[in-house]
Structures are given as structure tokens and as C-alpha cells.
Amino acid sequence: MPLSRCVPFVCAAIVLASLTAASARADEPRRPGVRAVAFSPNGKLLAASTSEPKEHGFVTVWEVATRRPLFTRSAEKGLPDVAFSPDSKTLAVAGYDHTLRLYDAVTGELRRTFQHPKEVRSVAFSPDGKTLATGGYDNAVRLWDRATGKETRVLTGAAMWVYAVSFSPDGTLLLAATGDGARLWDVHTGQERHVWTHGGSLVRRAIFSPAARQVLTAGWDETVRVWDAKSGEMRVRLRTYGGGEGLAYAPSSGTLAVCGFSLKVGLYLALRVPTRAEGEQIRALLAKLDDEDYEVREAAGKKLLHLGLLAERELRKAAKESKSAEVRLRCRKLRARLLGEPSDLLSAGSELEGIVFSPDEKLLAAAGKDGDVRLWDVAARKEWARLLSGTE
């Protein structure tokens, strides 16, 4: 048969095969997207919760070392957040059905149910494990006595839903991402200390630095902003790679991970205070930016970029104060590159809702909207495992 007469039959076969495959996929049940992931403080367990407000929700706990699921529990509506107690024995699960449930983290046995006036969007344990904080669709943060189940305080001021809550390491401060801004309260007095906004853009995540000296916020304006927790001043603004949904920080390395709509995780390196030796190295490299030899200047600039955000503060200072116009210009350009793009990217293949480092900072877990929990080996920058969620 002539080729010109074969082509229509070939095209028709391809179209038919495509329609058949699409029909088969349409018949498959849609897996619920993962909304939140959390490691237990001892690093042995990983929890993930799934689903939208009007869909069935699931929470699954795995043993990290073996990747073996320990249990799965379901709910009539979605479960948007999870948190482990400081002793790793209890799992708190926020529910769109107006409940907060406490489960035994190993057996999955239900221990207690807290009734909430509205949908519960976020949950956190205090460092001593005695208090729970919830944030939800009532635009408030509520504090609960874990032992009695009684509400002890309501923190107000937000005009939008509360997407994330966390306690400072000493338990005296409560931080929340409230959509219209990140808010910081004194836990004991209920007094609001600071409100940080992203210029009218939705704020979805807010976390403390390890010593609570700084607060990091992520918004839909595709920026992460670092604020001084005491003065309230903004220290750094990073341009993210389509991020704003998830934010995680590894304190020992200073690595910041950001996820969102881009199908990738952006990594920003060395967001920490340099050691004395590192500071001396940075200042020596800055001096070389004014060297007579062009190649020396270029090499120094590349080394400063390789140091990542360790060099940001000295670059900012030199860009303003250096007597050399060459140094000022180069410092402005180098700093713009550090703040304008991630140091590294991890491919996820799905939009991500949340992200978290393991306590030893060796693993990075992300909540995929496709229903997968992705685990990366941080040092190797490679996917280590993929766990399926949302099934019993």
C-alpha cells in the first residue's frame, strides 16, 4: 500500500490508542494529594496526611529505616496537617471536620479528640509537649491543654485562615502564617508582637530559626523573607523558584529548602552566621575583587558565590561602604545572584504542598499533590525513596 494511504490508518490507530489509555486512566481512582509531612523528633517515623476539605482524608505513618507503613487512618474529610509530640510517642492530626485527633504514633490507636469551632488547618506541639496550638478557618490560633483537652487561650488578630503554626524553641512565642501575614504572639500574655507581610501577597509558611532570633516567611509573591524576631526588621529577601507552599530549614548546614508550584525544590545554601575562619576567608576574597588582575577578580567572585549566603552580609556591607567603585559594583551583582536564584534544584515531578528535613538533616521529605511522599538524600541530591499515601 502506498505510504500516503497508510498514514491515515496509522494516525487513526495512534488516536484510538491514546483515547483508550486516557479512558483507562480516567477509570482509575484519583489518589488524594499529600497535604503535610512530618518526621518524629527521634527521626524514626515519618507521617503524611492527605486530601482536600470535601474529600476523604488519610494519615499514614512509616518506619523511616525500612520504609514500612505502620498504620493508616481515615476520616470523612481531609487532614491538612500533622505533628509529632516532642517524645515522638503521639501524633496530632488536624481535620477539616472541625477536629484535632491524637494517635499513638506507633500503633495508630486514637487517644483523644479535640472539638474545634471551625476547620483545623494547622497544628503544633509546644516544646514541653503539654500544650497544643491549632490554627484554622476561624482566623485564630487556639491553645489547648493536652492533658485535659481544654482550651486555654485564643490568639486573635488575623483576617484570614491560619495555614501554619509553630512554637519558639523555649515555648514562649507562637508564630503563625495567617494568609494576610505572619504573626508573632507572646504565649503567656497573648500579646501580639509583630506582623510581617509580603506586600499584600498570601503568606503560607512561617518558621523560626533554631534560636528564634529570626523568622522566615514564604509567600505567593515567590519570595522568602528573613526577619529579625526582636526588632521586626527584614534582613534578607530571597527570590524563590516558584515557591511559597513549603519551607524547611536545616540549622547545622544552614540549608533552606523551598517548594511550591514549580515541580522543583529550591535549595539555598549556608543561610547562617559564618564562623570566624569563614569570615576571614570572605573578607580576603572581597579584597581580591579590587585586584589589578581581571582573572583574580573573576576567580574571587566565583568563590564568593560558591560560599552561598554565608557571604551575603559582607557583600551587602561592601556594596555600600567600599571605597572602590569596582568592588561596590561587583558586590551588588554577586549579592543579587545569591538572593535571586537557588544554589541548587531538586526535581520533584509534582507540585508540592509541604517539605521537611529529618532531624539529622540527612533526608528531605516533600508532600506531593500527586499523592506521593518523596524522600531525597540531601548530601547526594538524589531521590532516596518514594512512598505511596492515601490508602488503607
Side-chain angles (χ1 to χ4, degrees):
M1 184 180 293
L3 181 60
S4 61
R5 295 179 62 186
C6 286
V7 170
F9 291 99
V10 174
C11 292
I14 292 173
V15 170
L16 180 60
S18 299
L19 290 174
T20 302
S23 176
R25 287 193 298 270
D27 292 338
E28 296 176 359
R30 186 183 70 82
R31 291 173 55 215
V34 184
R35 300 304 300 267
V37 286
F39 281 101
S40 59
N42 63 14
K44 295 181 179 180
L45 305 176
L46 175 69
S49 60
T50 75
S51 235
E52 299 294 329
K54 296 182 180 180
E55 299 175 344
H56 276 78
F58 299 88
V59 59
T60 303
V61 172
W62 294 269
E63 190 178 60
V64 174
T66 63
R67 287 162 282 178
R68 178 176 64 91
L70 296 181
F71 67 85
T72 295
R73 296 292 179 265
S74 63
E76 287 298 316
K77 295 184 179 182
L79 305 173
D81 201 15
V82 290
F84 283 96
S85 60
D87 63 5
S88 301
K89 295 181 179 180
T90 303
L91 180 70
V93 181
Y96 284 123
D97 59 356
H98 300 201
T99 67
L100 171 68
R101 297 180 177 90
L102 300 185
Y103 293 94
D104 183 288
V106 175
T107 67
E109 181 182 352
L110 181 63
R111 298 296 193 187
R112 183 184 290 276
T113 300
F114 296 76
Q115 293 297 325
H116 206 272
K118 289 279 189 176
E119 294 88 340
V120 185
R121 184 62 178 78
S122 52
V123 60
F125 279 94
S126 62
D128 62 8
K130 296 180 180 180
T131 303
L132 284 154
T134 59
Y137 283 10
D138 57 349
N139 304 349
V141 174
R142 296 176 184 272
L143 303 181
W144 307 81
D145 185 295
R146 176 183 173 183
T148 65
K150 293 183 179 180
E151 182 182 294
T152 60
R153 187 178 294 277
V154 180
L155 306 175
T156 60
M160 297 179 69
W161 300 340
V162 179
Y163 291 105
V165 290
S166 59
F167 285 91
S168 61
D170 64 2
T172 62
L173 301 174
L174 193 289
L175 177 65
T178 65
D180 60 333
R183 296 173 184 273
L184 185 67
W185 288 276
D186 184 298
V187 170
H188 300 301
T189 67
Q191 181 180 358
E192 188 176 78
R193 291 195 175 183
H194 294 295
V195 179
W196 296 290
T197 66
H198 280 229
S201 181
L202 198 68
V203 176
R204 289 292 294 251
R205 288 292 184 271
I207 60 174
F208 284 105
S209 65
R213 294 190 180 95
Q214 296 176 323
V215 166
L216 292 77
T217 60
W220 277 9
D221 60 344
E222 296 191 341
T223 70
V224 169
R225 307 187 186 205
V226 182
W227 312 85
D228 186 290
K230 187 174 182 179
S231 69
E233 296 179 1
M234 186 173 69
R235 296 303 188 189
V236 178
R237 180 171 61 184
L238 303 172
R239 175 63 61 181
T240 64
Y241 194 84
E245 287 292 300
L247 193 61
Y249 182 69
S252 65
S253 66
T255 301
L256 177 69
V258 186
C259 70
F261 314 117
S262 67
L263 313 187
K264 295 181 184 294
V265 177
L267 299 179
Y268 298 81
L269 304 182
L271 183 62
R272 59 177 175 82
V273 177
T275 64
R276 178 177 296 182
E278 288 168 339
E280 292 175 355
Q281 179 187 10
I282 291 167
R283 286 185 288 274
L285 289 170
L286 288 172
K288 291 182 180 181
L289 294 180
D290 202 28
D291 195 275
E292 293 182 359
D293 190 324
Y294 174 80
E295 295 299 329
V296 172
R297 298 197 300 270
E298 286 293 294
K302 290 179 181 179
K303 289 179 180 179
L304 284 165
L305 286 176
H306 183 70
L307 287 171
L309 293 168
L310 275 179
E312 186 276 330
R313 183 175 297 181
E314 291 294 337
L315 285 170
R316 172 166 31 105
K317 182 179 178 181
K320 295 179 179 179
E321 300 177 4
S322 176
K323 296 179 181 180
S324 168
E326 173 76 11
V327 172
R328 293 196 302 272
L329 178 60
R330 283 182 174 267
C331 286
R332 284 196 292 269
K333 289 182 177 180
L334 290 170
R335 184 171 180 268
R337 285 189 62 181
L338 286 177
L339 302 182
E341 58 189 43
S343 306
D344 207 347
L345 290 169
L346 301 176
S347 179
S350 169
E351 291 185 18
L352 304 173
E353 287 275 354
I355 197 164
V356 64
F357 283 101
S358 60
D360 62 7
E361 302 180 15
K362 293 181 178 180
L363 297 176
L364 181 66
K369 286 189 176 182
D370 59 358
D372 288 347
V373 175
R374 290 162 172 79
L375 287 165
W376 287 277
D377 181 309
V378 175
R381 300 287 198 267
K382 291 183 179 180
E383 188 174 296
W384 178 69
R386 191 173 296 194
L387 307 176
L388 304 181
S389 64
T391 57
E392 289 187 288

